[in-house]
Amino acid sequence: MTTPLLRPAGAESMQRSPQEARPESRTPPSAPSTTPTPAWAAADGIEAAEPIGGLQEYYYELCMEKSQEIKPFILHILQEVDEEIEQGLAGITLNVAGNCHLMPVERVTGEDFWILCRILKNNPYINGLDVRYNLIGDVGASCATELLQKQHNLIYLNLMFNDIGPEGGELIAKALHKNTTLKHLRMTGNKIENKGGMFFAAVLQINSSLEKLDLGDCDLEESTVHLGHMLKENQCLVELHVCKHDMKNCGMKHLCDALYLNRSLRYLDVSCNKITQDGMVCLADVLKKNTTLEVIDLSFNRIENAGANYLSDTLASHNRTLKALSVVSNNIEGEGLVALSQSMKTNPTLSNIYIWGNKFDEATCVAYSDLIHMGRLKSDNTDVEPFVVDGHVYLAEVSNGLKRHYYWTPGYGEACSPSSNAGLTLVPVGQYL
């Protein structure tokens, strides 16, 4: 007896358990008497993928053909997407994140990812792919390269923390030389190192569609200098994350040099880079002339009081375009924190400031309490909240920030609340964090 094909939800064959769906028997599925026409293949002017009755069925067939294990988690996700397509939805993101805690998850390997890429190659209803926290490696990076070359609907690709190395980074970067549709790429946590970083620097000079690029925690080091050079000529990138690279003041200086000429970047994340007050001298000077930057994340650096004072002077007297500043955990004491609060009184544009993790004295607590009580600083736009004990004002931490849920999502409550992810509201480039 031949093994029946898996069908979309509601069909009789989908009542089988995931264990029964595994291809231990290696028996090929029998062909249906009539091949159903997928809803998305029947649309006018849309080229269908290989003949399939749904993504689940196509996944099953490819796994059987390649003797690949059928993973119940992937099957479940594809079932949900099939249902969305049948409802007529478009702009769907296929989310196969490996850190999902709501159901049993089997990490996606490079071989699994090859099959997913085959499924998505000609599907016009899926424009986002999220495979964060999996194990696709350089094999998967090669598959992603082919997908970027052939899938012209894909605008969002999240590959963060997938064991992709320098060779895989090179392949993906080179694919972006000709890709004209991808707008948001996250490579966070893949150790592509300087070799891969150099190729992504070249992307900034050539690609004219990428708007958001995250190269945080990729061990770029010296290649951040080249990113700065290429940023001078790029006029489409809106958001750049280069956190956790120990770029220090040298890398910051090169980025600042680029910002004198760049007229597109609105969001810059240089957190966790050991930047000191010397780097703030460069940034403060840039902010006197730059009219496009709206959000800067300087969290977990070493700017201290001197760096905070440089920024305060510029924000108070010159810059009128920056909307949000995060200086969380920068060893800033009362003098620098008070100076930043005073700049908000004369700067009508700066609406969000995040200061937790620094050294609060009573003057600091009073200054930010006053800003909040007078309405100049809204409680949702900062990460501190004043309270009084025995006549003294103190500040408590609240869960607000630019992107509190950028690398994780909460187990309960709203995952994309505006106060916790203000960066997405301030610079609304696409729908993804």
Side-chain angles (χ1 to χ4, degrees):
M1 180 182 294
T2 57
T3 304
L5 285 171
L6 298 178
R7 301 293 185 192
E12 183 178 341
S13 60
M14 280 305 293
Q15 295 176 3
R16 303 165 64 215
S17 68
Q19 286 74 21
E20 290 175 297
R22 294 178 184 271
E24 272 78 8
S25 66
R26 305 294 184 222
T27 304
S30 59
S33 56
T34 58
T35 304
T37 303
W40 48 265
D44 292 338
I46 296 176
E47 178 187 358
E50 286 80 353
I52 59 175
L55 298 180
Q56 302 169 86
E57 187 170 318
Y58 191 21
Y59 172 70
Y60 182 90
E61 290 176 346
L62 283 175
C63 287
M64 294 293 287
E65 177 186 334
K66 301 297 179 182
S67 298
Q68 180 78 14
E69 178 189 12
I70 295 175
K71 293 191 172 178
F73 172 63
I74 295 178
L75 202 63
H76 174 76
I77 297 299
L78 294 178
Q79 174 184 330
E80 292 180 342
V81 174
D82 276 339
E83 291 171 356
E84 291 179 348
I85 291 174
E86 289 199 357
Q87 293 169 13
L89 301 180
I92 299 168
T93 295
L94 179 60
N95 188 339
V96 198
N99 63 337
C100 177
H101 300 295
L102 302 179
M103 65 181 71
V105 173
E106 293 181 75
R107 297 294 175 93
V108 174
T109 65
E111 291 73 19
D112 296 322
F113 192 61
W114 178 87
I115 290 179
L116 286 175
C117 290
R118 280 286 302 273
I119 291 172
L120 297 180
K121 187 172 64 173
N122 293 321
N123 192 306
Y125 285 87
I126 295 176
N127 66 4
L129 177 58
D130 186 344
V131 289
R132 72 183 84 181
Y133 293 102
N134 281 294
L135 302 168
I136 71 171
D138 287 345
V139 172
S142 177
C143 302
T145 297
E146 184 176 354
L147 188 67
L148 289 170
Q149 293 170 342
K150 297 183 179 180
Q151 222 285 16
H152 301 300
N153 301 299
L154 199 68
I155 61 173
Y156 170 64
L157 180 59
N158 190 339
L159 301 174
M160 63 185 286
F161 292 99
N162 257 291
D163 288 346
I164 298 173
E167 289 73 21
E170 176 184 346
L171 289 172
I172 293 171
K174 286 182 175 179
L176 292 175
H177 287 192
K178 296 182 179 180
N179 181 282
T180 59
T181 55
L182 192 72
K183 296 182 180 297
H184 185 179
L185 174 63
R186 292 182 67 176
M187 290 290 293
T188 325
N190 292 299
K191 307 304 182 182
I192 63 174
E193 301 177 354
N194 285 322
K195 178 182 177 182
M198 295 288 284
F199 286 101
F200 272 98
V203 167
L204 296 184
Q205 188 178 25
I206 298 170
N207 184 283
S208 59
S209 63
L210 198 64
E211 296 178 356
K212 298 175 73 171
L213 176 61
D214 189 337
L215 295 175
D217 197 14
C218 290
D219 288 357
L220 301 188
E221 298 175 358
E222 293 89 355
S223 57
T224 55
V225 172
H226 298 279
L227 283 170
H229 286 316
M230 298 307 180
L231 193 59
K232 294 179 182 179
E233 302 179 32
N234 182 287
Q235 300 301 329
C236 67
L237 195 69
V238 177
E239 187 169 324
L240 177 62
H241 295 256
V242 282
C243 58
K244 297 185 180 179
H245 288 306
D246 288 352
M247 59 191 287
K248 302 179 182 176
N249 296 322
C250 178
M252 188 65 195
K253 182 180 184 303
H254 284 280
L255 281 176
C256 288
D257 288 344
L259 293 173
Y260 284 112
L261 300 176
N262 182 279
R263 290 294 179 268
S264 66
L265 198 69
R266 297 168 59 195
Y267 191 124
L268 178 63
D269 179 358
V270 288
S271 57
C272 304
N273 271 298
K274 298 182 180 178
I275 299 168
T276 69
Q277 57 181 288
D278 294 333
M280 291 304 96
V281 172
C282 302
L283 182 59
D285 191 59
V286 165
L287 290 176
K288 292 177 182 178
K289 304 174 179 63
N290 182 284
T291 58
T292 55
L293 269 178
E294 297 177 25
V295 179
I296 299 178
D297 191 343
L298 292 165
S299 303
F300 302 100
N301 282 295
R302 303 171 180 176
I303 72 172
E304 302 182 336
N305 277 350
N309 283 324
Y310 289 131
L311 289 175
S312 300
D313 291 342
T314 295
L315 293 173
S317 306
H318 301 281
N319 184 280
R320 290 297 181 267
T321 55
L322 195 71
K323 297 178 181 178
L325 175 66
S326 180
V327 290
V328 169
S329 298
N330 262 282
N331 199 32
I332 306 172
E333 299 178 349
E335 175 193 343
L337 293 169
V338 170
L340 287 171
S341 73
Q342 293 298 315
S343 70
M344 293 194 73
K345 294 182 178 179
T346 57
N347 185 320
T349 310
L350 187 63
S351 61
N352 297 55
I353 188 165
Y354 305 96
I355 61 170
W356 186 258
N358 293 294
K359 299 178 179 179
F360 300 161
D361 60 9
E362 188 162 7
T364 300
C365 297
V366 170
Y368 286 88
S369 176
D370 289 345
L371 284 177
I372 293 171
H373 287 142
M374 72 174 59
R376 174 60 189 88
L377 179 60
K378 294 182 179 179
S379 58
D380 282 349
N381 295 348
T382 186
D383 57 351
V384 294
E385 181 179 55
F387 65 98
V388 179
V389 175
D390 295 334
H392 295 280
V393 180
Y394 299 91
L395 296 176
E397 182 184 21
V398 291
S399 187
N400 296 334
L402 292 175
K403 290 189 174 179
R404 291 295 291 255
H405 302 150
Y406 189 60
Y407 295 109
W408 63 279
T409 52
Y412 62 92
E414 189 178 359
C416 295
S417 64
S419 61
S420 296
N421 305 287
L424 187 63
T425 303
L426 293 167
V427 183
V429 183
Q431 66 189 85
Y432 311 100
L433 278 175

